[in-house]
Every structure is written in C-alpha cells, then in structure tokens.
Amino acid sequence: MANPYDEAHARSLRDPEGFWGDVAEDVRWFKRWDRVLDSSNKPFYRWFRGGVLNTCFNALDRHVEEGRADQPALIYDSPVTGFTVKTFTYRELRDAVAIFAGALAGLGIGKGDRVIIYMPMVPEAAIAMLACARIGAIHSVVFGGFAANELAVRIDDSKPKAIVAASCGVEVNRVIDYLPLINNAIGLAKHKVNHCVILQRPQSPGTLTPGRDVAWADAIANAKPAECVPLAATDPLYILYTSGTTGEPKGVVRDTGGHVVALKWTMKAVYNMDPGDVYWAASDIGWVVGHSYIVYAPLFHGCTTILYEGKPVGTPDAGAFWRVISQHGVNAMFTAPTAFRAIKREDPEGTFIRKYDLSRFRTLFLAGERTDPDTLLWAQRQLEKPVIDHWWQTETGWSIAANCTGIHTLPVKPGSPTKAVPGWDVQVLDDKCRPVKPGDIGALCCKLPLPPGTLPTLWNADERFKKTYLNDFPGFYKTADAGFLDADGYVYVMTRTDDVINVAGHRLSTGAMEEVLASHPDVAECAVIGVSDQLKGQLPLGLLVLKAGVKRPLGEITVEAVRLVRDRIGPVAAFRTAVVVQRLPKTRSGKILRGTMQKIADCEPFKAPATIDDPAILDEIANSLEGVGYAGARKN
Ligand code: COA
Ligand code: AMP
C-alpha cells in the first residue's frame, strides 16, 4: 500500500498545480496568483504568475502579527569572538531589518537594484539580506573566503548599487581585514560601486573611504523604518554565484513567490519542524545552505534559527556543536559531512558528546557532498538519533532527494540520500537521453518543469542557462551529477560530470583554478584535478607543464602557483599542492585526461583510454604524483 510519501510524490508529479497551489495557501500573499504554473514560454517556467507578496513580510512581520513577536527569531552564537551570544526576537529582528532597509532606501536603493553582501557570520548579514528583500532590492551574498578578484567578477556581473560588508571576519587563528579586499575588488571591477555600508567590528575596525563608505551605525542612526514593498512572485529575490566549468561563475537567480512557498513547506516535509522549534544550519550565509536554511526557511516557518560564527573543531574543541545544541535547545541540525569527519578525527569515541544534554535534539541532516557510510554510521552511533543525508544544489535551493521525515520516514540506506522529494521527477539517463535500468549509472536529470523555488534562469544569461542545464537532455534539467536509482527508487549520487569539485562541502571549479595557473608566466599548460582527502572529501591538485627554456627552481614556481590561486580565488580553494610534469596525458583529439590522472592519484584501478595519444605519459604522471605523496596506481 502506498505510504504518505508515495502519495505526496505521485500527486506532485501528476498534478503539480494542485499540489503547489495547496502548499501556497500557507504563505501570506498581498494578492493571490492568477496561475500556479505558467508554461507559456518553455523552457522558462514561472510559478505563481500574478501573485504579489514580500519575502521579508513572510519571514518576520507575519509572525509578529500572528503572535510570535516575543519568540526568539535568531540567536547569534560566536565562539570566535569570546563566546558572544545575542538573541533577537521576531519583533526585534523585524525592527532591525526595517531600519536597515530604511538606510538602504536612503542611499537610493530600491526595487530591482542589486546589493552585494560580503560579510562574515554576524547577525547584520541576515539583517542586510532581509532588508534587501523588504524593499525589493536583489541581494548577492559573496562568501568571505573568496579573494578580491572573485568579488570583482561578481561586481561586474551583478552591477550592484551598493556593497554591504563588515570591517573584518574572524577565523579561528586570525582576523581577516575585509576593507583591503573590498578596495582591491572595487579597483579591479569595471562597474563603479557608489556606496559601501561597513559594519565596524571591534576586532578590527577599518579605514573608510570618504564619499563612498558609511559606517553601519551611522547609516541606521537617522534612517526611518521601511515598510515591505509588494513584489511580483516572479521578481528576483537574490542572485547567488556558483562555480561552473569555467572561471566565470554562474549567477543563479531565485524568485520571490516560489521560494517562500517551497522553502516554508520543506521545513515540515523534509525537516519535520514545527513553528517554535529551534533549527540550526551550521553553514555560512555565503552558500545556498546559509541562504535557505540559516536565514529564510526557518523564519518563514516561525522557527528560531541559529547563526553560528565558529567551526566544528577548534572553537574551542570537538564539543563545539554539542555545546550549541544543548545551550540553545536545538531540535534539528543541518551541516556538511566534512564537519562530522573533522569532529570524528578529534573525538573518535564521542567523549565530548556525552558531556552535553542533547535531549531536545531530534535529527541530524547532512548535505553539500555525499555522506560516506562510515561518517553516517559513526554519527548515528554516537548521537543515537536519525542521521539523514539529502542531496541538493545551489541551483535547486532545496533538496532534490531526501528522507521526508515530516511526511513519512523511510528506512535509511547508507550512501543514499533516499528518494526524490515531492516535486522532483528524478531520472537516470544515458547520453542518448534514454532512461537506464535500476542500478546502472547515468546522468541524474530532473524532468521539467522544476518545482517552485528552483532557478528560473541565470542572471542576464538565458542562453547560458539553456546551454548549461537544458540542452543536453531535452525536456530535463541536467544536475551535472552522475549516479543511479536502485530497484526501490533510492537515489545514489556518485560524482560530478563536469569540472566541479567539492572541497569541505564547498563547490569549486577546477577550470577556474586552471585559468589562474595558466596566467603564471612560466606555465605553458596545466590541469587541476580533485584528489580524495579523508577530511575534506576532495582537495585540488595542480599539474603544471612549464614553457620551454624555463630554468628557475621548480620549488619556487610551485610555491608561486599556490600563492596565485590563494590570491585570485581565495583561501577557501584550499589549493596547496602543485607539481611540475613534463607533459599532460591527452586523447588524440587533445582532451586532457583529468579523470585518469585523478584515478592515478587516488590509487584507483584504471584503464588507459583507447584514444590516448601516448600511454607512456601515464607512468611519468604516476612518478610525479608519487613525488608529492600521492599513491600513483599503475594501469591494470
Ligand atoms: N573568510 C575568510 N577565510 C575563510 C572563510 C571565511 N568566511 N572560511 C574559510 N576560510 C579560510 C580558512 O581560514 C582556511 O584558511 P587557511 O588556508 O589559511 O587555513 C581556508 O579558507 C579553508 O577553509 P575551510 O575549508 O573551512 O578549512 P578549515 O581547515 O579551516 O576547516 C572544516 C575544515 C571541515 C572544519 C570546515 O571546512 C568546516 O567547518 N566545514 C563545515 C562545512 C560547511 O560549512 N559547508 C558549507 C556547505 S553546507
Ligand atoms: P552546491 O551547489 O555547493 O550545494 O553543491 C552541489 C553539489 O554538491 C551537487 O551537485 C553534488 O555534486 C554535491 N552534493 C550536495 N549534496 C550531496 C549529497 N547529499 N550527496 C552527494 N552529493 C551531494
């Protein structure tokens, strides 16, 4: 007999308009939609056409009106600044957001204008996002671990009227001044930014540029609170840049109506949260997890969200997560498997776990990379709570596959994020766009239309949107993940099919790193591969072929190469190893055999492709990789 999950999933595919129309009743609209799904301009589908609403109203004002004014909305917990804890009730957060929205409006920012937010994990980051939403400005948050050059690329693509930033970020072992990075980025960008609002942090206040910069405190001092602006459901809420095949990041657009509808629904359906519950996503607002599950979804649902400025280990120890869970009564937590691998490495017996009261904690959710069965089983054993892997992407904004614990919990199969969430028709296709048999690996694709809250397009790049996601498998969205479905319909996500690697749950482009390395004056050719790493899942490794006649010490060149990637992309790339090789293995048509080199580095068995130009190069590569500590498997 069909269980409630099967029923919900089947209905969502059979009758998407009925399914999402019902879900949308839970949202506060200023004007109801004319059409749940507008398919008149395929492949650009639009949800809730004609509907008018405001994201910030649904996150804050409605809860103040509906009796949650004095409930904590957001708890800021910051071990890196001396264990600061600050709680905002829904009323306090609404007021802080309204004032900052007024400050932005005072700078001439209004509906449709872009605002870049470059901030560490401080409450003002969430306040700035919600303030943009309140006045219809489109925010684009840039992760603090990216370098000035990456920020400049995003400035030129999104053309913001203003940047909202903090004077510094606080990492475990150092304070990072943001203003030099911002000044550098603004200098590199072609687009002129007129205003910067800078939150001066006591850890390292910065020197403001007169005429351009205003301190956050001054900006709000004379501001009048702004009201929520009515917006079309199809108006953009934010742009979030993510890595693709090249160094040019893709601006994923999120619209207004579908986002509120879908995200609010996931809080119950996927995470089994009720209004008033405490929810914690230990990620960063610079990533999609932070957008969806630190800021928006928990607030849409009337939960308390935790904004944590710290790490899983080292702030101060491997008990950091358990301290936060017990101190704030967290009911469900969401983080990346890499965080658990870091904890497991320092506290394999779970000694710290037993020091804290976790009685209110119900479920651990993991995503961002595949949860390896070892980590899943370890976490399950230590916590004695369900551990749920779920699969999603920046593009989708919420999970494609999950165990929908608020609808009907299915048995967990380690290694699988369970089944397609209602709204998602996940199929595994071969390169001729034909479905493959259960158990066979192929391209994981989702039949169009995608559900609400997913990307309607890329920022100012409709053609790129089609080329990247829709053209290869007509009628489907290409996730660029490969995997399989088992006979029970469980999804298994195995690997990316493009040049994206996943480093500590952070999505990075090897193509972007190659572009940086290729700019080194001594480098003729290069390749970057993602090699396995026990903690971070993958780490980038660069192979460099030098220009003829270069006589400098190789060590100098590799050190410069490492520094170049850190300076241009940022520390988050974790690019620490480059090795000089004589030649790169290629097919006869000139395609670099990155996959084969990755297998060599990971000591996995491999066969030299039939199309290889010169098989002897593989032995040279194996020798070079052995020289930098990689196992160097030989072909079988
Ligand atoms: N601003 C500036 N620098 C940053 C930064 C930020 N917001 N975030 C990270 N960095 C820097 C780090 O300081 C580090 O610099 P280093 O090379 O000088 O040491 C570098 O970027 C790499 O950072 P990270 O990948 O976080 O590695 P780590 O060794 O500091 O920590 C983990 C490893 C596993 C503890 C950490 O990655 C983690 O907590 N991951 C949680 C998962 C997560 O948040 N995933 C996001 C998607 S859910
Ligand atoms: P991001 O856009 O940064 O969220 O990264 C998305 C990519 O991370 C996906 O395309 C997958 O490759 C990977 N990913 C995220 N979650 C999972 C998961 N639960 N299992 C396997 N891979 C995942």
Side-chain angles (χ1 to χ4, degrees), residues 143-145 171 174 176 283 311-312 336 338 504-505 536 566 571-572 576:
F143 177 61
E171 280 291 288
R174 66 192 194 284
I176 299 161
S283 176
K311 299 266 175 176
T338 189
K536 297 196 179 190
R566 191 177 172 95
V572 68
R576 299 219 167 83

Side-chain angles (χ1 to χ4, degrees), residues 118-121 143-146 169-174 176 178 181 282-284 287-290 310-313 321 334-342 367-369 503-506 535-536 566 570-574 576:
Y118 186 65
M119 292 186 106
M121 288 290 287
F143 177 61
F146 281 123
V170 185
E171 280 291 288
V172 182
N173 49 5
R174 66 192 194 284
I176 299 161
Y178 278 18
L181 284 162
S283 176
D284 189 288
W287 307 116
V288 68
V289 175
K311 299 266 175 176
V313 293
F321 278 8
F334 175 175
T335 190
T338 189
F340 267 73
R341 290 196 296 271
E369 54 174 326
V503 180
H506 308 317
L535 174 66
K536 297 196 179 190
R566 191 177 172 95
V572 68
R576 299 219 167 83

Side-chain angles (χ1 to χ4, degrees), residues 427-437 441-443 473 476:
Q427 301 193 18
V428 184
L429 304 178
D430 67 13
D431 49 12
K432 303 241 161 28
C433 204
R434 291 174 306 213
V436 303
K437 290 199 304 296
I441 293 197
F473 300 94
F476 289 86

Side-chain angles (χ1 to χ4, degrees), residues 96-167:
V97 167
I99 284 286
F100 191 64
L104 290 177
L107 294 174
I109 293 160
K111 184 180 168 209
D113 292 331
R114 274 80 61 206
V115 174
I116 279 189
I117 299 174
Y118 186 65
M119 292 186 106
M121 288 290 287
V122 289
E124 288 79 359
I127 290 171
M129 291 165 76
L130 289 158
C132 288
R134 196 170 185 86
I135 57 172
I138 302 167
H139 63 69
S140 185
V141 182
V142 179
F143 177 61
F146 281 123
N149 185 57
E150 291 289 317
L151 182 55
V153 169
R154 286 153 176 79
I155 292 173
D156 278 336
D157 197 68
S158 63
K159 302 194 173 35
K161 262 199 181 165
I163 296 180
V164 180
S167 59

